[in-house]
């Protein structure tokens, strides 16, 4: 389709008036109406039959995709959510950006009984969940007063803006808070994310930067090897990576091998071979694959040395010990003296040795092997080692830089590039690793550059005294070791003020001192980007209020503007603009570059705009470097791929690490506390518990929506053998516990998980009664130990015992 006809197809205002004889509820999911307050019957009573209007919104969660939602509205009531139509189904780039079950359930999320309706202040003990309604004027004044008081008493560093990914707005939410905080003295920032702490830290030490081939490359692959990548459940949008991968596989018919502790939906959808792997053991598997490749003469060492340093002794930097190459590590001539045979790795990973030897041959002999990792394998203690080990594989097997190959990384998607409300500059330069905020409240003096990789200062001067928690359920749901975390939060002498902005009465909301209700996506105006997992697909979405915001919920743009007024910076904050005027400004800024775009009035509230895709030839990671490494050096210190990283050694040599932690210069399998290699803890807690991101919710967002809960119940996956020996039957309620906590969940007894391994979805709402998390939230069991190098979250590394409840 030509650009002009594409635009025409999209920009015709889709606010169609439609005659409907009956309110059609088509999806099976949407038939469970009895669980929601606005039943079909109630609609029939209150609404005249007939005129329905379509409005356009979007699902702004952090699932990596970004789906437009076509919202059928009658008399200011949401009737049904539909997908936007496909623009041109023949070509993927113009394919239908189809929302998943969560996006389609938005009507129930908007009308859920747990919605926050009014601004409130705490009246009971913190965390108890007792509140009193206050006015917006009082709420915004209180926040302004607290910001001033805390900054005067403790300094700007005492105000912390919490990690929160529940809503990726561009002109309200986080950008509004950042702008306000920066204008008034700044705040303590964080680095790392809960998603990618270990992979984002480790990758640049190998490649200099971060680049993965798009899944469209799989069109040219004959073999696809995926480590813990589950796009069928984590990238579910019809406009995203799951669709791109599926279509590419249709073309190439490549063999797919998935290494995962669980038999995931991706194994089914990609018609893959499942190699069940024990969590935290990928680095051992990679070492064994390379061992087979070396011993069977399947690699070209000169070729590896052309691109990389540290595989062979002769390419090690001068500062490195003589036997510290990756080849030494694999062949047993390195420091640990262990030969990394397939049998050695089999004992660790549970994958049969023969199958690993075969896989090594398959990878080395493939025409084009696409090697990729999800983020589950790195959300572990020593996840950094897993990342760097997997990155070695395509280099050593010469499976990178050519069509049909990848770098071993997960492919980020292209972004359209929609501006956000400008944040301005943060006058505070100190930032903490995101997973250390509880320490920064309770033990600030222990947070230093040498122990916690603190940035911008040698040590933290003051603890966190005020938290702004916007679209975040981190405080009491998504962080590790919730029992310890709750204790820290309950102590009002530590953190003095907590502001929470949400749509629902979440576990975190209950810890607020001041609790503010924000609009849901469907009650908001904005112009948003396509997020990060839409593959080569690229677009923006113009969304509008599909109904009048309910009760007293407001946009945080207006709320922050009011706080700015109380603090005397209203003009600097708003520059005289309403939110809608900022949206228009952002669009005009884009239009000044993309002059083919129509007037704002034509696209306002029209859904998807300017959808297009990257040409396939631009999508092979590190292609230039592969073709000519001298002409296109990488940004690593050597200009090459660094299997051995001298930079890592230099940067971390004076770090103070907890006993047992190591940060080796080449990616290695290391034993991990609280994992299957921790034989001592296993005597008490024999089962290795991993988490995973479930299709039932995006973290905790949508996790309280009845229809989705019914479709995807919260269950802990347990192997038949483990269930049998504990007298547990499928569907039984079980208690999962360790020294940190105790959780109730229903058992899914299945062959889809390895014995001695269990898996519980993350994001379920934590509800604690008598010390037991009856909500089933895995974070009542997870540890708060920092990963050694990235200081990231090891929330998939846990040992537990399970018993029938
Ligand atoms: N439906 C849905 N989609 C989401 C999200 C959601 O909550 N729900 N969250 C979004 C966000 S913010 C993020 S960060 C991403 C997360 O994306 P990921 O981090 O990739 O998702 P996970 O489910 O944690 O892990 C992926 C797979 O890795 C497996 N795994 C765990 N440990 C290991 C291991 O040691 N080795 C191997 N080989 N596999 C392992 C898990 O069983 C799982 O199937 O997903 C995004 N998409
Ligand atoms: N054990 C374990 N824990 C994990 C993970 C794991 O794999 N295992 N994954 C981690 C990862 S990768 C991430 S990204 C984090 C995610 O953690 P969070 O960023 O906290 O994400 P959510 O749990 O979805 O919480 C977002 C909150 O935003 C609210 N919200 C949604 N829409 C809006 C809105 O329009 N306005 C406002 N104000 N609020 C809104 C939701 O109600 C919800 O309470 O969790 C981390 N925690
Ligand atoms: S959760 Fe993700 S895939 Fe589902 S509708 Fe929302 S943006 Fe789309
Ligand atoms: Mo994430």
């Amino acid at each position: 389709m030509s650009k002009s006809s594409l635009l025409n197809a999209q920009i015709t205002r889709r606010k169609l008036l439609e005659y409907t004889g009956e309110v059609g509820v088509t999806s099976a999911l949407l038939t469970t109406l009895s669980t929601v307050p606005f039943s079909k019957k109630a609609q029939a009573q209150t609404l005249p039959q007939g005129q329905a209007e379509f409005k356009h919104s979007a699902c702004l969660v952090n699932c990596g995709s970004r789906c437009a939602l076509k919202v059928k509205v009658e008399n200011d009531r949401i009737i049904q959510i539909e997908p936007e139509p496909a623009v041109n189904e023949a070509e993927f780039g113009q394919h239908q950006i189809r929302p998943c079950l969560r996006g389609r359930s938005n009507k129930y999320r908007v009308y859920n009984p747990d919605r926050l309706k009014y601004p409130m202040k705490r009246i009971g003990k913190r965390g108890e969940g007792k509140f009193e309604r206050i006015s917006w004027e009082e709420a915004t004044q209180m926040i302004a007063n607290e910001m001033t008081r805390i900054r005067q008493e403790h300094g700007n560093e005492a105000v912390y803006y919490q990690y929160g990914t529940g809503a990726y707005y561009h002109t309200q939410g986080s950008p509004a808070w950042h702008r306000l905080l920066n204008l008034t003295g700044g705040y303590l920032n964080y680095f790392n994310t809960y998603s990618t702490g270990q992979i984002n830290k480790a990758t640049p030490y190998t490649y200099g930067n971060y680049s993965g081939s798009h899944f469209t490359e799989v069109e040219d692959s004959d073999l696809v090897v995926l480590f813990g990548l589950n796009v069928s459940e984590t990238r579910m949008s019809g406009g995203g990576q799951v669709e791109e991968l599926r279509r590419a596989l249709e073309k190439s018919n490549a063999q797919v091998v998935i290494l995962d502790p669980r038999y995931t939906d991706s194994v089914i959808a990609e018609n893959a071979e499942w190699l069940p792997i024990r969590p935290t053991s990928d680095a051992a598997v990679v070492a064994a694959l390379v061992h087979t490749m070396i011993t069977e003469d399947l690699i070209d060492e000169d070729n590896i040395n052309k691109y990389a340093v540290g595989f062979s002794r002769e390419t090690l930097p001068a500062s490195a010990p003589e036997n510290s190459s990756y080849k030494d590590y694999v062949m047993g001539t390195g420091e640990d003296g262990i030969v990394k045979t397939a049998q050695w790795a089999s004992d660790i990973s549970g994958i049969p040795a023969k199958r690993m030897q075969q896989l090594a041959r398959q990878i080395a002999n493939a025409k084009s092997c696409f090697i990729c990792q999800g983020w589950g394998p790195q959300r572990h203690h020593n996840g950094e080692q897993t990342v760097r080990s997997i990155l070695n594989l395509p280099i050593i097997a010469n499976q990178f830089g050519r069509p049909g190959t990848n770098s071993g990384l997960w492919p980020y998607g292209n972004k359209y590039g929609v501006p956000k409300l400008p944040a301005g500059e943060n006058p505070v330069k100190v930032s903490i690793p995101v997973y250390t905020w509880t320490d920064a409240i309770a033990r600030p003096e222990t947070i230093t550059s040498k122990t916690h990789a603190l940035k911008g200062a040698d040590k933290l001067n003051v603890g966190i005294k005020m938290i702004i928690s916007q679209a975040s359920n981190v405080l009491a749901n998504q962080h590790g070791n919730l029992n310890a975390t709750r204790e820290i939060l309950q102590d009002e002498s530590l953190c003095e003020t907590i502001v929470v902005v949400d749509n629902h009465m979440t576990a975190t909301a209950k810890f607020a001192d001041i609790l503010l209700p924000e609009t849901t996506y469907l009650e908001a105006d904005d112009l948003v980007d396509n997020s990060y997992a839409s593959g080569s697909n690229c677009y923006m979405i113009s969304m509008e209020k599909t109904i009048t915001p309910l009760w007293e919920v407001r946009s945080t743009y207006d709320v922050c503007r009011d706080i700015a007024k109380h603090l005397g910076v209203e003009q600097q904050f708003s520059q005289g603009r309403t939110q809608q005027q900022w949206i228009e400004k952002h669009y005009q800024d884009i239009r000044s570059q993309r002059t083919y775009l129509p007037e704002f009035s034509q696209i306002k509230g029209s859904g998807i705009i300017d959808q297009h895709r990257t040409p396939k030839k631009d999508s092979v990671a590190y292609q230039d470097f592969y073709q000519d490494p001298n002409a296109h050096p990488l940004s690593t210190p050597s200009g090459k791929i660094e299997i051995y990283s001298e930079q890592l050694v230099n940067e971390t040599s004076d770090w103070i690490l907890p006993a047992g932690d190591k940060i080796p210069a080449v990616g290695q399998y290391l034993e991990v506390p609280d994992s299957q290699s921790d034989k001592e803890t296993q005597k008490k807690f024999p089962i290795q518990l991993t988490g995973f991101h479930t299709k039932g919710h995006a973290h905790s967002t949508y996790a309280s929506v009845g229809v989705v809960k019914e479709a995807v119940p919260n269950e802990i996956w347990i192997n038949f053998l483990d269930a049998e020996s504990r007298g547990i039957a499928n569907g039984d309620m079980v208690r999962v516990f360790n020294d940190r906590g105790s959780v109730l969940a229903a058992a899914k007894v299945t062959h889809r998980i390895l014995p001695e391994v269990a898996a519980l979805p993350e994001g379920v709402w934590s509800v604690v009664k008598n010390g037991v998390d009856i909500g089933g939230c895995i974070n009542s069991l997870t540890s708060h130990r920092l990963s050694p190098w990235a200081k990231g979250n090891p929330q998939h590394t846990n040992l537990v015992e399970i018993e029938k409840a």
Side-chain angles (χ1 to χ4, degrees), residues 230 232 258 260 262-274:
N230 182 20
S232 288
I258 296 182
D260 198 301
R262 298 182 306 125
Y263 184 103
T264 60
D265 284 10
S266 296
V267 176
I268 302 164
E270 289 153 26
N271 195 18
E273 178 191 4
W274 176 42

Side-chain angles (χ1 to χ4, degrees), residues 764-796:
V764 179
W765 285 28
S766 171
V767 181
V768 184
K769 283 249 160 75
N770 303 325
V772 181
D773 197 323
I774 59 169
C777 179
I778 188 174
N779 282 318
S780 287
L781 301 165
T782 55
S783 99
H784 188 234
R785 188 184 174 116
L786 301 176
S787 75
W789 184 19
K791 309 300 174 193
N793 48 329
Q795 282 164 292
H796 284 352

Side-chain angles (χ1 to χ4, degrees), residues 62 163 165 193-196 375 379 532 693 699:
N62 177 18
Y163 178 90
T165 65
T193 67
Y194 281 78
S195 317
T196 54
W375 300 339
R379 205 168 295 111
Y532 58 86
H693 292 230
H699 312 295

Side-chain angles (χ1 to χ4, degrees), residues 32 71 105 257 268 301 318 491 566 602 666 709:
T32 337
V71 184
S105 78
V257 177
I268 302 164
E301 200 161 335
D491 185 342
H566 296 309
Q602 276 180 273
V666 298
K709 267 201 214 175

Side-chain angles (χ1 to χ4, degrees), residues 685-687 718-729 732 756 800-804:
F685 304 116
I687 293 192
I718 309 173
N719 185 277
F720 272 95
L721 295 173
D722 297 318
E724 199 172 60
S725 61
R726 288 167 177 78
I728 296 167
D732 280 353
E756 288 172 24
V800 295
E801 179 52 292
I802 303 175
E803 64 181 23
K804 196 168 162 167

Side-chain angles (χ1 to χ4, degrees), residues 30-319:
L30 303 184
T31 52
T32 337
L33 283 158
S34 56
T35 56
V36 295
F38 291 80
S39 71
K40 205 171 172 182
K41 207 166 141 201
Q43 286 158 11
Q45 280 164 359
T46 52
L47 299 177
Q49 297 273 305
Q51 301 287 297
E53 203 182 354
F54 281 112
K55 296 196 175 180
H56 298 271
S57 184
C59 172
L60 303 186
V61 287
N62 177 18
C63 82
S65 307
R66 181 68 66 245
C67 298
L69 303 173
K70 194 172 147 197
V71 184
K72 190 173 183 177
V73 177
E74 231 177 53
N75 288 352
D76 211 17
R77 283 276 184 83
I78 299 163
I79 301 298
Q80 188 178 324
I81 313 288
E82 295 183 6
E84 297 277 5
V87 177
N88 175 3
E89 284 193 69
E91 197 193 331
F92 174 73
Q94 281 81 49
H95 175 74
Q96 182 180 36
I97 300 168
R98 195 177 50 248
C100 75
L101 75 169
R102 302 179 295 276
R104 296 280 286 258
S105 78
N106 256 295
K107 164 179 162 182
Y108 303 109
R109 186 169 174 267
V110 172
Y111 297 130
N112 223 39
D114 64 1
R115 278 288 303 267
L116 299 176
K117 303 181 175 69
Y118 311 101
M120 296 194 284
K121 70 173 181 203
R122 170 168 69 86
I123 49 172
K125 281 205 222 109
R126 188 186 277 159
E128 231 179 12
K130 290 189 183 148
F131 296 96
E132 177 181 278
R133 182 175 169 184
I134 53 175
S135 69
W136 273 110
E137 177 59 22
E138 200 182 343
T140 51
Q141 186 66 62
M142 274 170 76
I143 294 168
N145 292 350
E146 281 302 280
M147 279 166 71
T148 307
R149 181 185 71 79
I150 300 243
R151 281 167 163 162
Q152 276 167 359
E153 288 176 18
H154 306 283
N156 291 318
E157 272 174 52
V159 178
Y160 182 62
Y161 187 83
Q162 184 58 283
Y163 178 90
T165 65
Y168 277 61
Y169 292 112
H170 284 234
T171 54
Q172 62 185 68
S174 283
W177 280 107
H178 286 143
R179 186 172 172 80
L180 173 71
L181 291 168
N182 287 342
L183 272 172
T184 52
Y187 61 98
L188 178 66
N189 207 346
Y190 60 77
F191 62 91
N192 280 359
T193 67
Y194 281 78
S195 317
T196 54
Q198 288 85 320
I199 197 168
N200 281 4
K201 177 71 192 179
T203 299
Y205 291 77
T206 300
Y207 278 117
N209 63 1
Y210 193 117
S211 177
S213 305
H214 284 149
F215 284 122
T216 44
E217 283 309 318
V218 168
E219 287 174 20
D220 290 324
S221 315
D222 50 348
L223 179 64
V224 176
V225 179
L226 306 175
F227 291 86
L229 185 83
N230 182 20
V231 287
S232 288
E233 288 170 273
T234 58
R235 314 291 175 192
M236 289 170 74
S237 167
Q241 289 177 325
V242 67
E243 194 61 24
E244 201 156 81
L245 178 56
R246 187 183 69 75
R247 288 184 183 222
L249 281 171
E250 249 169 34
K251 285 195 182 152
S252 67
N253 217 4
Q255 184 185 345
V256 182
V257 177
I258 296 182
L259 296 92
D260 198 301
R262 298 182 306 125
Y263 184 103
T264 60
D265 284 10
S266 296
V267 176
I268 302 164
E270 289 153 26
N271 195 18
E273 178 191 4
W274 176 42
L275 292 188
I277 181 174
R278 289 198 191 111
T280 67
S281 69
D282 303 68
V285 172
V286 171
L289 294 174
V290 174
H291 179 265
T292 299
M293 288 179 194
I294 295 172
T295 52
E296 297 189 4
D297 205 13
L298 298 169
I299 57 165
D300 176 348
E301 200 161 335
D302 291 340
N303 188 66
I304 299 169
N305 294 342
K306 179 177 163 193
Y307 295 108
V309 297
F311 177 74
S312 315
R313 287 187 179 191
E314 53 271 36
T315 60
L316 282 172
S319 65

